[in-house]
Amino acid sequence: SLVGSEMCIRDSIKREKQNGRRGLELSFKAGIEDKMIKKLQVNGWWWSKTNACWCNLDTSGNRKYAESFKEYAGMHLAVVLM
């Protein structure tokens, strides 16, 4: 059984997921060059080992940057709740 503080934490986590921020997940079928990895990192993207993709917040600037990789075969961009 949960005590009061544990219930509050559990409920606040549920609310965060329901009102969660949107994020971007960028993935490539083939590996990418070290140069591109550095560019992603410099532009605020981080690697998610769990999801095996590059992640960032969903902003118009980040979407535009991610879409600049369309020329790479197997590039996939997804909008997700964080």
Side-chain angles (χ1 to χ4, degrees):
S1 127
L2 299 174
V3 295
S5 62
E6 290 173 318
M7 290 186 336
C8 290
I9 292 169
R10 182 199 64 203
D11 292 344
S12 67
I13 290 170
K14 283 183 183 176
R15 274 195 302 276
E16 280 181 25
K17 287 187 178 182
Q18 289 171 349
N19 300 322
R21 296 181 301 191
R22 291 189 327 178
L24 299 173
E25 290 185 348
L26 179 61
S27 59
F28 302 89
K29 280 191 176 187
I32 57 174
E33 302 169 357
D34 288 344
K35 189 169 120 178
M36 188 187 311
I37 290 171
K38 293 284 185 206
K39 285 182 179 181
L40 286 164
Q41 291 171 331
V42 165
N43 285 284
W45 292 78
W46 64 91
W47 179 253
S48 169
K49 289 181 184 178
T50 306
N51 298 332
C53 64
W54 290 93
C55 302
N56 210 332
L57 297 177
D58 182 17
T59 65
S60 60
N62 288 339
R63 277 187 189 214
K64 186 174 182 178
Y65 182 76
E67 289 170 358
S68 72
F69 293 106
K70 280 185 179 177
E71 68 222 32
Y72 290 89
M75 186 280 276
H76 177 74
L77 179 63
V79 179
V80 297
L81 285 179
M82 298 178 79

